[in-house]
Amino acid sequence: MTNNPPSTQTAPNSSRWKLPLLGIELNNPRYWIEVIGIAIAYFGSSWIIANTIPRLYGPSPVWPGAGFNVGLLLAFGRSRWLGVFLGILFFNLHKNWLTVLIPALGASIGSTIGTLITVSLILRFTRTTYPFHQVRHVVVFSLCSLFSGTIFQTITGTGIYILTKRYEGDFLKDYFLPWWIGDSIGVLIFASIVLTWLRSHRDNKIKSWLNWEVVIAISSLILVAYFSFYESQPIEYLLLPPLLWSAFRFGAKITTLLIMIVSMTASIATASKFGVFYKAIGKGDSLSLLQIFMGVIALTTMITIAIVEENRIANLNLQRANADLEQRVLERTSALRQSEANALELASKAESANQAKSAFIANMSHELRSPLNAVLGFSQMMMRAKNLATEHYESASIINRSGDYLLTLINNILDLSKIEAGKTTLNLQTFDLKHLLDDIEDMFHLRAINAGLNLFFECDSNVPHCIYTDEIKLRQVLINLIGNALKFTKHGSVLIHVTNVNTPINESKDIQDPSNPKLILNFSVSDTGVGIAAEELSELFVSFSQAQAGREKQEGTGLGLAISRRFVQLMGGEISVTSELGKGSTFQFQIHAQQGKELVSDPTEKRRALAIAPDQPNYKILVVDDKPVNCQLLVKLLTPMGFEVQEASNGQEAIVIWDQWEPHLIWMDMRMPVMDGYEATKYIKSTVKGNATAVIALTASVLEEEKAIVLSVGCDDFIRKPFREQIIFDTLAKHLGVKYIYENIQHHKHEADFPSEILLNSENLKVMPDSWIMQLYRSSLEADKNIVINLIGQIPENETFLVRSLTKLARNYQFEKLIDLTEPLLSKHIE
């Protein structure tokens, strides 16, 4: 497939000629066929939408014509712009030819220019007419669809509405934003389907539409769509798994068609006063939520299609490399038998192949973490917005948590690679063990409740609060074991018990500090689940191996237990399991640690920075990255805080800006064209002026040796992508001494941040009937934890604070506080 638009590849014909500047080919029949085709596509799709979706919200939630225009111009060439103009003009005139002639001409001109802007920017930054082969191209296509020509054509269209006085109500909320987003969503969905059906030649072939995969995928879509868009059940995002399945198995053509069908079904149902979007909230917010839903499924699925294509190309390259390597080995077999020199040559080639494999893994990780940096970074920025609706805040939180989960999967693969290469080491630090257990308990609490399970955390009194070992690896082991226990337990409970084993530790352990007491901590995770057969126990900790229950679930990678065992061994212990089919399992492990010094909590640790505190210098920050999305993320994060920020796309530009502007700190990406971050940092740090500038390496590389290399060339610190916004602010404070204004934690909207024993009082219990309060009182007197937990399960779902506060008291066996809360409300009954 060529990267040039087809319009530039005309057959030699001396009789054809073009109008200067306009690109109109008067004597080219194919040109006019394509122009008429574009006009008909716009007119037909717009007519169908106008007559299919009732106008409840003003502008349509999605405008396919905008997508057809962009997709067909990318496919046929920008010189076919006349078709865009004619299609829009005829649609605007087809009802009232004379009365709307001037407004129709204005709208047609504005929309045509906007479409050309969008198409030109996509071609300029992707240099291809099919921008779905790489994740980077999909991101560029999405940004151009949202923030380029669609804004221009919306301004033109709404401007004509203002001039002709054809609107009522809030102009920005009811007209401009829905119009703009509707055009943008139209481009995302319908330009994609046009390009995939006209340009994609390497799609997966469906052998039979009765194939079980096809039937299950389409049945899942129909079932979820029915419950979401007709029965108004809030499960609309369950449509994503079958769409992603389709992207992996059926290819781009079928997947984009399914996205279009789902989006149009949601739009028609909502406009017809059906479904979750119409029922959940008011009609204005309903339109925004519907448009966000269509944008999320379209963008997520197209990125998945690009990832599949990138993986296919990478696999082809790897297969070619393997085939080439095998051929070379065969060609040199006879020579290797005759000479030791040839044997050394073969060993050298094998080492090169191993290095190539390591480089391939590192590069793939880099490419995966780079888009994740944008996903996590921008979702965090959305969550910082003060005027964001609760529903949109929750959507951004879902995106953020999903990105975190994807990052965890990537890190698991890398952890296994490091373990196999013997490069995994301990990162020792002092941390609060009780706080770690509380965090993990909060993480799994809701999942346990939804599954109808009891989740208990018990910690012996002789276990110290602060210990000195590897917190990250201990957290990962506990998460793996507890997650498995909840996954394979249908009824009953999961118990996590921590004890301090008073046994001497071998004096040769290198984690010891003679000034701190030595500990052996025992952790056990017990469940009442399906259990594991005795013959499967020996293979349980082997990489990519799963027990029968895991294979039946058809989920998981089989890496969790293998990684957990290696982490436990690094911490000086061993992991074991006892299990009985049908009764449950118990995983137990011990680690060597030391008692740590009590940590002094930082009052700003859990508070979000809002702005730079007054009476400080005007800090100048330079962001250097060859990917505009990464630059944009840091600019949007730092500029509202009060920093002065400039950008550079490579090391050479960075040196010029640094020399002229003299920034206080530089965020330096290390992999860039023209001049990379290593050379730029060396040059800056080789000067007297450069020693006064802090240079922080910001890279997606996961190699441990990368940090040593980066620091050796002069960088002052090292941060990996994707990063959390708090790390950025803390690093600026560390190297520049920046002080911030923090939010008032007492006014934070999330009740989970408050200590329940401080805020909870008897008044909170009045939402429940007297009989319930009496049962809670009697159960607390009897210290019956199970009955208390069951009573808490009867509290309405919207009383989140009450549920979490009472659950925490019950889990910690604080029945005296429960009695104190209920007695004032039952005094008349007790008398």
Side-chain angles (χ1 to χ4, degrees):
M1 180 184 301
T2 179
N3 286 338
N4 296 320
S7 62
T8 64
Q9 300 174 356
T10 58
N13 190 334
S14 59
S15 64
R16 295 181 183 175
W17 61 282
K18 301 181 181 180
L19 290 178
L21 300 179
L22 298 180
I24 298 176
E25 302 173 15
L26 295 178
N27 293 342
N28 184 355
R30 180 176 177 178
Y31 172 86
W32 289 106
I33 292 173
E34 292 173 349
V35 164
I36 294 171
I38 294 173
I40 293 174
Y42 180 88
F43 185 95
S45 62
S46 301
W47 187 89
I48 292 172
I49 286 295
N51 290 276
T52 303
I53 301 180
R55 289 299 190 89
L56 296 182
Y57 309 113
S60 173
V62 58
W63 196 250
F68 280 118
N69 285 342
V70 171
L72 290 172
L73 285 191
L74 282 172
F76 296 150
R78 285 172 288 180
S79 62
R80 275 64 173 173
W81 62 267
L82 184 59
V84 176
F85 175 81
L86 293 176
I88 299 171
L89 180 63
F90 289 149
F91 177 74
N92 287 324
L93 293 178
H94 79 284
K95 290 185 177 179
N96 301 298
W97 284 87
L98 296 178
T99 58
V100 295
L101 180 58
I102 301 302
L105 283 171
S108 301
I109 293 172
S111 296
T112 301
I113 294 174
T115 302
L116 286 172
I117 291 173
T118 301
V119 172
S120 298
L121 289 176
I122 291 173
L123 292 174
R124 168 67 177 81
F125 291 111
T126 65
R127 300 190 182 279
T128 177
T129 59
Y130 186 76
F132 305 120
H133 280 160
Q134 297 181 25
V135 174
R136 178 175 63 87
H137 290 168
V138 173
V139 173
V140 171
F141 171 80
S142 304
L143 292 176
C144 291
S145 301
L146 290 170
F147 301 112
S148 59
T150 51
I151 297 178
F152 182 85
Q153 57 199 55
T154 302
I155 292 173
T156 304
T158 54
I160 292 174
Y161 266 53
I162 292 175
L163 294 175
T164 56
K165 300 181 179 179
R166 294 167 59 193
Y167 74 92
E168 297 179 359
D170 188 332
F171 174 75
L172 179 64
K173 179 181 179 182
D174 297 336
Y175 284 87
F176 183 86
L177 288 179
W179 191 322
W180 166 43
I181 298 175
D183 280 1
S184 301
I185 299 300
V187 174
L188 284 177
I189 296 174
F190 288 90
S192 303
I193 194 171
V194 167
L195 290 172
T196 53
W197 281 83
L198 290 179
R199 287 282 180 264
S200 182
H201 302 298
R202 290 190 290 265
D203 239 7
N204 298 340
K205 301 296 182 182
I206 297 179
K207 296 180 180 179
S208 171
W209 286 93
L210 296 178
N211 180 280
W212 69 270
E213 282 189 292
V214 179
V215 172
I216 292 176
I218 295 179
S219 300
S220 302
L221 285 171
I222 294 174
L223 190 63
V224 176
Y226 171 78
F227 282 106
S228 298
F229 306 142
Y230 185 78
E231 295 291 344
S232 303
Q233 299 298 321
I235 59 173
E236 64 277 10
Y237 281 95
L238 288 181
L239 290 165
L240 266 177
L243 288 175
L244 297 180
W245 186 0
S246 174
F248 276 103
R249 299 292 295 165
F250 310 145
K253 291 182 180 179
I254 300 300
T255 304
T256 52
L257 182 63
L258 292 176
I259 293 172
M260 182 199 71
I261 294 173
V262 169
S263 300
M264 297 310 300
T265 302
S267 300
I268 294 172
T270 304
S272 302
K273 299 183 180 181
F274 288 102
V276 63
F277 297 114
Y278 182 82
K279 183 178 180 180
I281 47 181
K283 65 178 184 179
D285 292 333
S286 176
L287 177 60
S288 300
L289 197 57
L290 170 62
Q291 290 174 325
I292 289 174
F293 165 74
M294 291 189 290
V296 167
I297 65 169
L299 182 57
T300 303
T301 311
M302 294 311 298
I303 287 178
T304 303
I305 290 173
I307 291 174
V308 170
E309 181 63 18
E310 286 184 346
N311 287 341
R312 187 190 68 81
I313 294 173
N315 287 334
L316 285 176
N317 292 336
L318 189 58
Q319 288 173 10
R320 290 171 186 157
N322 287 338
D324 182 60
L325 182 60
E326 289 176 2
Q327 183 62 30
R328 291 183 182 181
V329 171
L330 289 174
E331 291 174 354
R332 290 179 172 86
T333 300
S334 59
L336 291 173
R337 292 174 180 173
Q338 300 173 6
S339 172
E340 183 179 358
N342 289 339
L344 294 175
E345 182 181 354
L346 178 61
S348 176
K349 290 184 180 294
E351 178 64 21
S352 298
N354 189 43
Q355 292 176 357
K357 175 186 173 183
S358 300
F360 173 76
I361 293 175
N363 288 333
M364 285 300 297
S365 172
H366 184 277
E367 292 304 314
L368 288 171
R369 295 170 75 92
S370 291
L372 267 181
N373 185 53
V375 171
L376 292 174
F378 281 104
S379 61
Q380 290 176 71
M381 289 183 58
M382 291 173 65
M383 294 164 65
R384 287 178 65 88
K386 297 181 179 178
N387 58 349
L388 194 65
T390 302
E391 294 80 5
H392 301 168
Y393 183 92
E394 292 174 354
S395 298
S397 299
I398 291 172
I399 295 172
N400 190 261
R401 289 196 298 270
S402 299
D404 272 336
Y405 178 68
L406 181 56
L407 181 61
T408 300
L409 295 180
I410 295 171
N411 288 338
N412 276 348
I413 299 295
L414 294 171
D415 284 339
L416 182 65
S417 300
K418 291 178 183 177
I419 289 172
E420 290 178 343
K423 296 182 179 180
T424 304
T425 57
L426 287 176
N427 180 22
L428 302 175
Q429 58 181 323
T430 299
F431 62 92
D432 191 329
L433 176 61
K434 300 293 180 67
H435 181 66
L436 170 63
L437 295 175
D438 286 343
D439 282 350
I440 296 176
E441 184 178 11
D442 290 339
M443 180 187 304
F444 288 104
H445 170 65
L446 185 59
R447 178 176 168 184
I449 290 180
N450 292 338
L453 303 173
N454 293 319
L455 179 63
F456 304 114
F457 278 71
E458 295 179 357
C459 192
D460 287 358
S461 58
N462 63 342
V463 176
H465 274 267
C466 294
I467 64 172
Y468 180 76
T469 186
D470 192 323
E471 180 185 14
I472 296 175
K473 289 182 174 58
L474 177 58
R475 175 190 293 269
Q476 189 61 50
V477 173
L478 289 172
I479 289 174
N480 288 345
L481 296 180
I482 297 171
N484 283 345
L486 292 173
K487 184 192 303 184
F488 300 114
T489 302
K490 297 181 179 179
H491 307 287
S493 61
V494 174
L495 171 65
I496 297 87
H497 190 201
V498 186
T499 58
N500 181 10
V501 181
N502 294 320
T503 304
I505 297 179
N506 189 330
E507 294 297 327
S508 65
K509 291 293 180 184
D510 55 6
I511 67 169
Q512 287 185 354
D513 179 356
S515 63
N516 291 330
K518 297 174 285 293
L519 308 168
I520 294 182
L521 299 179
N522 185 81
F523 297 79
S524 67
V525 179
S526 304
D527 63 67
T528 57
V530 296
I532 305 168
E535 60 269 20
E536 294 183 316
L537 293 179
S538 60
E539 300 294 323
L540 204 57
F541 297 98
V542 177
S543 299
F544 304 105
S545 175
Q546 289 182 305
Q548 181 62 31
R551 293 192 293 272
E552 291 175 356
K553 281 276 187 179
Q554 293 188 355
E555 59 184 71
T557 60
L559 295 177
L561 291 178
I563 294 173
S564 297
R565 182 179 191 179
R566 181 55 181 156
F567 284 176
V568 170
Q569 290 172 343
L570 281 171
M571 290 184 284
E574 190 56 70
I575 187 170
S576 60
V577 57
T578 57
S579 183
E580 186 175 352
L581 277 176
K583 293 188 177 181
S585 307
T586 297
F587 285 82
Q588 182 171 287
F589 67 92
Q590 294 181 346
I591 63 168
H592 291 177
Q594 295 172 292
Q595 183 168 340
K597 297 180 181 179
E598 290 294 326
L599 298 173
V600 179
S601 61
D602 184 354
T604 67
E605 181 180 358
K606 291 188 177 181
R607 292 192 293 168
R608 189 173 62 187
L610 300 178
I612 298 176
D615 301 325
Q616 292 190 80
N618 183 26
Y619 292 109
K620 296 187 289 186
I621 309 297
L622 175 60
V623 179
V624 188
D625 201 306
D626 62 317
K627 293 181 173 58
V629 174
N630 291 336
C631 286
Q632 184 184 13
L633 173 60
L634 281 171
V635 170
K636 288 190 174 183
L637 179 64
L638 298 176
T639 301
M641 298 289 292
F643 294 98
E644 187 177 346
V645 186
Q646 288 197 23
E647 306 174 41
S649 60
N650 57 63
Q652 198 171 64
E653 289 183 16
I655 291 174
V656 173
I657 297 175
W658 161 78
D659 189 42
Q660 297 175 354
W661 193 47
E662 298 184 2
H664 296 86
L665 182 141
I666 301 175
W667 295 107
M668 183 73 73
D669 186 28
M670 306 313 290
R671 293 189 183 185
M672 293 180 292
V674 184
M675 178 186 287
D676 60 25
Y678 301 97
E679 292 299 322
T681 303
K682 284 181 182 178
Y683 180 86
I684 292 171
K685 288 298 185 179
S686 66
T687 65
V688 176
K689 183 171 65 173
N691 288 325
T693 304
V695 180
I696 312 299
L698 197 59
T699 176
S701 173
V702 295
L703 300 177
E704 289 296 330
E705 55 268 26
E706 183 81 8
K707 182 174 183 179
I709 297 172
V710 164
L711 296 178
S712 68
V713 300
C715 289
D716 298 283
D717 213 334
F718 177 89
I719 293 178
R720 286 191 175 94
K721 303 173 188 175
F723 51 77
R724 289 287 180 186
E725 61 179 33
Q726 191 59 43
I727 294 177
I728 299 297
F729 296 142
D730 290 346
T731 304
L732 290 170
K734 173 183 176 182
H735 292 279
L736 299 182
V738 183
K739 297 180 180 179
Y740 304 102
I741 299 173
Y742 292 93
E743 66 177 350
N744 188 344
I745 196 170
Q746 294 182 348
H747 299 287
H748 199 278
K749 64 182 178 181
H750 296 293
E751 294 170 332
D753 292 337
F754 296 114
S756 59
E757 59 268 25
I758 295 177
L759 291 181
L760 189 64
N761 54 58
S762 299
E763 293 297 315
N764 298 117
L765 299 178
K766 289 185 177 181
V767 299
M768 301 301 292
D770 291 343
S771 59
W772 183 91
I773 297 174
M774 177 62 76
Q775 292 180 54
L776 180 62
Y777 173 78
R778 290 173 177 171
S779 303
S780 301
L781 286 175
E782 297 172 0
D784 193 326
K785 181 178 178 180
N786 291 332
I787 294 181
V788 171
I789 293 294
N790 289 334
L791 289 171
I792 294 172
Q794 300 174 18
I795 300 175
E797 294 181 358
N798 58 341
E799 296 292 336
T800 307
F801 168 67
L802 181 60
V803 170
R804 296 194 67 179
S805 301
L806 292 179
T807 302
K808 198 167 188 66
L809 293 176
R811 285 207 210 107
N812 295 327
Y813 299 96
Q814 295 178 304
F815 297 107
E816 297 84 0
K817 291 187 178 181
L818 292 174
I819 294 171
D820 293 339
L821 289 170
T822 53
E823 274 186 344
L825 302 177
L826 298 175
S827 56
K828 61 181 181 180
H829 296 284
I830 297 175
E831 294 173 357

